[in-house]
Amino acid sequence: QVQLVESGGGLVQAGGSLRLSCAASANIFSIFTMGWYRQAPGKQRELVAHITSGGSTNYADSVKGRFTISRDDAKKTGYLQMLSLKPEDTAVYYCNAELITRSTMAPMNYWGKGTLVTVSS
């Protein structure tokens, strides 16, 4: 009943842009915190960007200045704007969030299934 769904992945040329979306179920009360992770083949999953309930953000050094994480609380959706994409950005991108449900009014952690981003050189 409660889920996170990513969208916006695809194939782009190096230097191109892509915006990923992470939509939470409409029935939740709110998004508490949200983060974007990525995992390239044969590598560990890494944190790319994170945004707190207060709007504070942090980024992996490899994406600073190029990626921007944001949230639209009215739409219960988070975003990851990716600019100047590099082949090294190729990975499956996962949305992770603490969601507050109406039944418990307490945060619980959820993961999306991921969306593939491929950057060609």
Side-chain angles (χ1 to χ4, degrees):
Q1 199 169 36
V2 176
Q3 62 180 220
L4 238 33
V5 180
E6 305 100 330
S7 63
L11 173 65
V12 294
Q13 284 264 27
S17 304
L18 224 45
R19 188 178 77 156
L20 305 184
S21 297
C22 176
S25 304
N27 55 53
I28 66 163
F29 180 74
S30 66
I31 296 173
F32 190 57
T33 64
M34 179 173 283
W36 285 93
Y37 291 74
R38 68 185 181 188
Q39 188 165 27
K43 296 185 178 180
Q44 293 270 77
R45 186 173 298 189
E46 64 172 341
L47 177 65
V48 175
H50 182 80
I51 186 165
T52 68
S53 58
S56 296
T57 60
N58 64 81
Y59 301 89
D61 288 341
S62 59
V63 308
K64 279 183 180 177
R66 298 189 298 122
F67 290 12
T68 301
I69 186 170
S70 62
R71 56 193 290 164
D72 185 333
D73 291 329
K75 293 183 176 181
K76 296 189 175 96
T77 301
Y79 305 93
L80 183 67
Q81 179 68 58
M82 306 184 293
L83 307 178
S84 302
L85 285 161
K86 304 174 181 180
E88 309 93 86
D89 295 319
T90 295
V92 174
Y93 284 70
Y94 298 90
C95 177
N96 175 253
E98 289 182 297
L99 305 178
I100 297 174
T101 64
R102 295 183 186 279
S103 59
T104 66
M105 291 301 288
M108 284 189 67
N109 194 70
Y110 293 87
W111 285 92
K113 292 183 178 180
T115 185
L116 179 63
V117 171
T118 302
V119 185
S120 63
S121 60

